[in-house]
Structures are given as structure tokens and as C-alpha cells.
Amino acid sequence: MKKIILIPVFALLLSISSYAQKLDREKIKALKIAHITEQMDLSAKEAQAFWPVYNTKEEAENKLREQSSKRRKDKKVENLSETEAKALLLEMVEIENKKQELHSKFITDLLNILPAKKIIALMQADHSFKKKMIQEYRQRHQADKSKK
């Protein structure tokens, strides 16, 4: 009887956790968009051309990141043969090359719609947002440690 009750409860908790992570990602995405918008000072015309290109690049980067993460998580180093490790390493290099190609294409595409100064402002805004996120994480992590 207890097992029958525990299974739906466990499934519910798992789905709530998954939903909360999705909300966190959406919240972070919204904060990032607001930060970039504020830092770049885009005109309405620039914003209309910029955001589709930016969102396409972000989606492609996320796919590459997931692909890379999944490949590495599926493998335990101690269980790999030297041949498998070399193949995995070459896949990782290939993914990094794809990321670099994606970034280069993104810059080229942006040069067609934005002045170079605004592209540099974007890079600075992206960097400052990541820095803020890391600081926020550290502060929360230290607060969690001090509570224990």
C-alpha cells in the first residue's frame, strides 16, 4: 500500500522540480534580455533585426552545450579505453570548433545590422551578465553554507 502511494508522490515531486528548473531558466533568460537591452541602447529598428539573430545563436549554442554535456556525462573516464577516450576528446574538440564557427558567423551577421561599437557593447553586456550571475550564485552558495 505504501509503495502505491509513494510512486505518484515521487513522480509529482520530480515533475515539480523539473518545472522549477524551467522557470529558473526562463527567469534568467528574461534577466539577460533586459540586461543586454539596457546595456546596448538599441533603436527599435536595430532591436527588430538584432533579437532574431541573437536568439538563433543562443539556441544553437544551447544545443551544442547540451550535446557536449550529454556525451561527457554518458562516459566515465575510468571505464573508457584509450581509443574511446581519444574519440571522445576529438568529439569535444569538434564541438568547440562548431562553437567558434557559430560565434564568427554571429559576428559577421551582426555587422550587417549593427555598428561595431554596439557589437562590442553586446560582448561587454554578455560578459557583465555572466559575472553578475556567478556573483549571485556565490552569494547564495555562501549563504547556504553559513546556514548549515
Side-chain angles (χ1 to χ4, degrees):
M1 182 69 175
K2 287 183 181 180
K3 287 182 182 178
I4 294 171
I5 293 172
L6 286 178
I7 292 172
V9 170
F10 181 71
L12 178 65
L13 291 174
L14 187 62
S15 65
I16 289 171
S17 173
S18 171
Y19 182 70
Q21 287 177 350
K22 184 177 179 182
L23 287 177
D24 286 346
R25 285 189 194 121
E26 292 299 319
K27 183 179 177 183
I28 290 170
K29 184 177 179 181
L31 289 171
K32 185 176 185 180
I33 289 170
H35 181 78
I36 289 171
T37 299
E38 178 185 318
Q39 298 295 314
M40 288 185 64
D41 191 31
L42 297 172
S43 70
K45 184 179 177 183
E46 288 172 335
Q48 188 176 12
F50 168 75
W51 286 111
V53 173
Y54 183 83
N55 291 334
T56 300
K57 188 264 308 181
E58 285 286 298
E59 288 173 20
E61 275 184 349
N62 287 337
K63 285 180 184 175
L64 287 172
R65 194 174 301 114
E66 287 173 12
Q67 180 184 1
S68 176
S69 177
K70 184 176 187 261
R71 294 291 295 146
R72 284 182 279 129
K73 284 182 181 176
D74 290 347
K75 309 287 183 181
K76 290 190 177 185
V77 176
E78 56 273 1
N79 297 339
L80 292 176
S81 69
E82 186 61 25
T83 304
E84 291 171 326
K86 187 174 182 178
L88 181 60
L89 188 59
L90 292 174
E91 284 179 39
M92 292 166 59
V93 168
E94 181 62 31
I95 289 171
E96 288 302 314
N97 288 338
K98 287 179 182 177
K99 286 180 185 178
Q100 188 60 43
E101 288 172 18
L102 180 64
H103 185 73
S104 294
K105 182 184 180 318
F106 176 62
I107 298 298
T108 302
D109 290 347
L110 285 183
L111 282 170
N112 292 323
I113 55 177
L114 293 175
K117 282 184 171 184
K118 288 199 177 183
I119 297 170
I120 292 171
L122 167 65
M123 292 174 166
Q124 291 173 339
D126 195 42
H127 179 74
S128 66
F129 182 78
K130 287 176 185 173
K131 193 173 179 178
K132 280 183 181 181
M133 292 301 296
I134 290 169
Q135 288 172 342
E136 178 73 22
Y137 173 79
R138 285 181 181 157
Q139 288 173 349
R140 287 184 181 190
H141 191 65
Q142 285 177 347
D144 289 344
K145 276 186 176 179
S146 65
K147 289 180 183 177
K148 291 180 182 180

